[in-house]
C-alpha cells in the first residue's frame, strides 16, 4: 500500500478513537488472527486493497496515477447464546461511523472523494467465541504524481566561450576566454 493510503487509514482510526472512546475496548490497524472475548467489543480499520491506474497517457509526462483505495472497518461484539443485547448497540455504532468520517473536513479533504460504500453483517465462530461482526468497506479515490528528480533544474546556465578555439591558437591571435552565468528565471 502507498504511504498516502496509510495516512488516510491512520486519520480514520484517530477519528474513530476520539468519537467512540471506551465504547470499543480494542482498536486495531491490522487484522487479528485470534479474537478473545476480552478483546471485545473491537473496531478494526484496515487497508483492504489499493489499485493504481495510469491517469492519462503512459510515458507522456511524469508518472501519475489515480488510486482507488478500499478502507475496511470491522466492528465486532461477543454474542452469548442466551443474550444478544449487544447487537443493536453495534449496529448503531457502525452506522455512526459514516457521520464521524464523512462529516469531518480533515478526513474528507484527504481524498478526492468517496466512490462507494458497502456494509455487511455476519456471525462467525472464532474458537469458542461467537462473534457478531459488521463490516463496512469504503472506496476512496486520490491521485499521485512522481515528478523526476532532476539534478540540474536549469535555473542558471553556465557558458564558457573562447576565441579562437585551442586548435587555432597558433595563428598568433590572442586567445580570449569568457565565462557567463545566465539565470533563466525572472
Amino acid at each position: 500500500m502507498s504511504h498516502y493510503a496509510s495516512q488516510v487509514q491512520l486519520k480514520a482510526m484517530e477519528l474513530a478513537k476520539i468519537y467512540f472512546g471506551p465504547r470499543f475496548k480494542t482498536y486495531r490497524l491490522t487484522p487479528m488472527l485470534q479474537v478473545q472475548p476480552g478483546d471485545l467489543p473491537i473496531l478494526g480499520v484496515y487497508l483492504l486493497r489499493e489499485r493504481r491506474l495510469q491517469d492519462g497517457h503512459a510515458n507522456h509526462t511524469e508518472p501519475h496515477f489515480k488510486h482507488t483505495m478500499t478502507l475496511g472497518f470491522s466492528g465486532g461484539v461477543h454474542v452469548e447464546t442466551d443474550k444478544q443485547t449487544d447487537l443493536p448497540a453495534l449496529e448503531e455504532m457502525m452506522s455512526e461511523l459514516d457521520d464521524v468520517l464523512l462529516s469531518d473536513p480533515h478526513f474528507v479533504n484527504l481524498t478526492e472523494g468517496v466512490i462507494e460504500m458497502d456494509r455487511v453483517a455476519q456471525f462467525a465462530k472464532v474458537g469458542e467465541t461467537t462473534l457478531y461482526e459488521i463490516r463496512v468497506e469504503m472506496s476512496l479515490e486520490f491521485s499521485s504524481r512522481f515528478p523526476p528528480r532532476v539534478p540540474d533544474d536549469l535555473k542558471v546556465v553556465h557558458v564558457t566561450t573562447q576565441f579562437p578555439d585551442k586548435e587555432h591558437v597558433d595563428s598568433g591571435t590572442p586567445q580570449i576566454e569568457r565565462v557567463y552565468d545566465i539565470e533563466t528565471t525572472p
Side-chain angles (χ1 to χ4, degrees):
M1 302 293 171
S2 66
H3 174 71
Y4 195 77
S6 299
Q7 297 306 305
V8 175
Q9 177 195 25
L10 291 173
K11 185 63 175 178
M13 178 60 86
E14 175 190 331
L15 292 171
K17 282 181 174 180
I18 290 169
Y19 183 80
F20 293 117
R23 290 195 279 169
F24 284 105
K25 184 175 183 182
T26 307
Y27 291 90
R28 296 283 301 196
L29 290 170
T30 56
M32 294 180 75
L33 297 177
Q34 191 171 12
V35 177
Q36 301 296 325
D39 297 328
L40 302 171
I42 186 171
L43 178 66
V45 179
Y46 312 124
L47 287 172
L48 299 178
R49 72 186 137 273
E50 181 181 3
R51 189 166 181 211
R52 296 180 190 193
L53 294 173
Q54 177 67 31
D55 187 19
H57 298 290
N59 293 328
H60 180 69
T61 63
E62 63 195 21
H64 52 287
F65 298 95
K66 186 67 76 171
H67 298 249
T68 302
M69 176 185 92
T70 303
L71 198 56
F73 302 89
S74 173
V77 292
H78 183 209
V79 180
E80 296 180 32
T81 48
D82 59 341
K83 181 174 112 178
Q84 296 184 359
T85 56
D86 289 341
L87 303 186
L90 181 62
E91 290 279 355
E92 183 62 28
M93 285 191 292
M94 293 305 286
S95 65
E96 291 173 27
L97 188 61
D98 296 353
D99 290 332
V100 169
L101 298 176
L102 300 179
S103 298
D104 185 278
H106 299 290
F107 180 77
V108 172
N109 288 336
L110 287 174
T111 67
E112 294 169 13
V114 179
I115 300 170
E116 65 180 349
M117 292 180 69
D118 188 33
R119 179 184 167 112
V120 65
Q122 68 182 13
F123 287 94
K125 190 100 169 143
V126 181
E128 296 297 316
T129 304
T130 303
L131 180 71
Y132 178 60
E133 177 187 31
I134 296 177
R135 290 182 184 172
V136 176
E137 290 186 9
M138 181 183 292
S139 293
L140 306 157
E141 192 172 80
F142 62 94
S143 298
S144 65
R145 300 187 83 79
F146 296 89
R149 292 185 182 106
V150 180
D152 184 359
D153 55 8
L154 295 177
K155 289 183 179 175
V156 176
V157 177
H158 183 77
V159 178
T160 302
T161 64
Q162 50 182 258
F163 178 82
D165 59 13
K166 291 189 184 218
E167 292 177 12
H168 298 94
V169 86
D170 295 337
S171 66
T173 306
Q175 186 175 33
I176 302 171
E177 187 172 307
R178 296 281 189 260
V179 176
Y180 302 95
D181 287 326
I182 304 168
E183 292 188 24
T184 60
T185 56

